[in-house]
């Protein structure tokens, strides 16, 4: 694992939030600290040091990392989410408060909608600092709970350890499963003992899915074809409700749901559409300007750090902390309405 004893000069060429906020003074102040789970600054920054193209570049090993390494994490959290030390987080998962009619009723632009939240279990180390036995216990406990779900949420758990290569690759190609060997996660220590303890639960229609022990212990996902954002959110809210009644998730009044990557703190929610925007893809400056107004993030269609194909983008909310889940989805919905409007104008 990471052995950064000296200030990592190589980050000076990087445009990550790590490079921007890790001053030599902060490095000296934090370099010898260890959390209760023995997590160090060297581990927290290794992903950004090894991957200079990181946007953020830091990971927490446990809830205490956010306090112990606050001189580094706080400015990163402030710059990403606009959430300062005194601010409190708030939650609202009530679908009745969301105003998100389908922005594309004729099905011309939106291919699919997906909303996910990350969750980690209270009192356990996060993925970068957990050991094999604890990770496998989580897999056992959570998959048992999931396999007892009923109705629309009922389904089957598939452990990566027993999955055929063909099944694994087809789940990835169809956007249901995480990839193996992500270099950002690798350097953060999140791929240790791979594939043990990892897997995916899904219902028959693959509209409700849970990833176990990827970047976070749980990624709870609701997705379906088309642009019915309201239906996707409603299903997700009921799945979160079912799991939260049986598992205590790590949460703080200031940071909301605790996640290994600070970009996911708060709601830990990413609400996205895969959307075809051929005209805006020829005007990327305009696409980016609209994204900025509505707090949207633009990704390629094979996940983060992938590129767009045939004018199809993954458009999602960027802010996650200090705003509610309803507001996250509202950001995405309102931004998508604006993008479709502009796409139609350009097509004329
Ligand atoms: P995250 O789980 O943080 O949202 P990724 O960006 O890596 O992470 O996406 C995970 C997978 O989900 C990828 O295969 C991606 O293509 C897929 N995905 C994301 N949004 C959608 C969507 N709206 N429709 C279908 N698949 C999606
Ligand atoms: N560590 C990567 C990814 C940051 C945000 N995304 C996720 C999946 N956490 C980076 O800094 O670019």
């Amino acid at each position: 694992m990471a052995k950064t004893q000296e200030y990592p000069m190589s980050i000076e060429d990087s445009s990550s939030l790590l490079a921007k906020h890790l001053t030599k003074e902060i490095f000296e102040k934090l370099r010898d600290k260890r959390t209760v789970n023995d997590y160090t600054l060297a581990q927290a920054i290794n992903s950004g040091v090894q991957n200079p193209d990181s946007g953020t570049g830091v990971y927490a090993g446990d809830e205490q990392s956010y306090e112990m390494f606050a001189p580094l994490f706080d400015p990163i959290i402030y710059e990403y989410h606009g959430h300062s030390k005194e601010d409190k987080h708030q939650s609202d998962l009530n679908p009745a408060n969301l105003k998100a009619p389908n922005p594309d009723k004729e099905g011309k632009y939106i291919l699919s909608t997906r909303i996910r939240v990350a969750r980690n279990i209270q009192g356990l180390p996060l993925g970068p600092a957990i050991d094999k036995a604890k990770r496998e216990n989580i897999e056992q406990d959570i998959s048992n709970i999931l396999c007892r779900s009923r109705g629309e949420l009922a389904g089957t758990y598939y452990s990566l350890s027993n999955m055929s290569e063909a099944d694994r690759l087809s789940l990835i190609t169809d956007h249901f499963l995480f990839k193996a060997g992500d270099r950002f996660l690798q350097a953060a220590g999140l791929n240790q003992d791979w594939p043990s303890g990892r897997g995916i639960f899904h219902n028959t229609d693959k509209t409700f899915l849970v990833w176990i022990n990827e970047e976070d212990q749980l990624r709870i996902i609701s997705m379906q074809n088309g642009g019915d954002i309201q239906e996707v959110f409603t299903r997700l809210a009921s799945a979160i409700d079912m799991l939260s009644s049986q598992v205590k998730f790590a949460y703080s009044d200031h940071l909301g749901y605790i996640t290994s990557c600070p970009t996911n703190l708060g709601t830990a929610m990413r609400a996205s559409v895969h959307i075809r925007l051929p005209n805006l893809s020829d005007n990327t400056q305009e696409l980016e300007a609209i994204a900025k107004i509505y707090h949207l993030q633009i990704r390629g269609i094979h996940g983060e750090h992938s590129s767009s194909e045939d004018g199809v983008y993954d458009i999602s909310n960027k802010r996650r902390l200090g705003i509610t889940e309803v507001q996250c989805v509202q950001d995405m919905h309102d931004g998508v309405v604006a993008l479709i409007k502009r796409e139609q104008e350009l097509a004329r």
Side-chain angles (χ1 to χ4, degrees), residues 107-133:
K108 281 184 164 168
Y109 305 94
I110 301 178
L111 307 179
S112 52
T113 303
R114 173 183 184 266
I115 313 181
R116 62 84 167 155
V117 293
R119 291 290 184 269
N120 292 282
I121 298 168
Q122 191 181 53
L124 287 179
L126 296 167
I130 205 163
D131 63 27
K132 189 166 183 276

Side-chain angles (χ1 to χ4, degrees), residues 225-240:
N225 289 336
D228 194 338
I229 299 170
Q230 194 82 33
E231 188 168 287
V232 174
F233 183 68
T234 304
R235 184 187 306 112
L236 181 73
S238 89
I240 295 174

Side-chain angles (χ1 to χ4, degrees), residues 145-146 148-150 153 208 237-247:
I145 292 174
L146 287 168
R148 291 197 296 268
S149 17
R150 290 286 164 263
L153 305 183
F208 166 55
S238 89
I240 295 174
D241 209 37
M242 180 270 288
L243 280 159
S244 307
S245 68
Q246 299 178 71
V247 187

Side-chain angles (χ1 to χ4, degrees), residues 78-98:
Y78 183 73
E79 182 159 346
Y80 188 90
H81 299 279
H83 192 76
S84 64
K85 238 183 152 33
E86 302 69 40
D87 291 336
K88 297 266 181 270
H89 181 69
Q90 335 143 39
S91 176
D92 179 5
L93 275 159
N94 184 352
N97 295 334
L98 179 67

Side-chain angles (χ1 to χ4, degrees), residues 47 53-57 59 184 215 261 263-264 299 304-305:
S47 191
D53 56 337
S54 292
T56 309
Y59 286 87
F184 299 87
E215 182 175 304
C261 176
T263 65
N264 279 322
R299 295 185 178 183
E304 194 171 21
H305 309 111

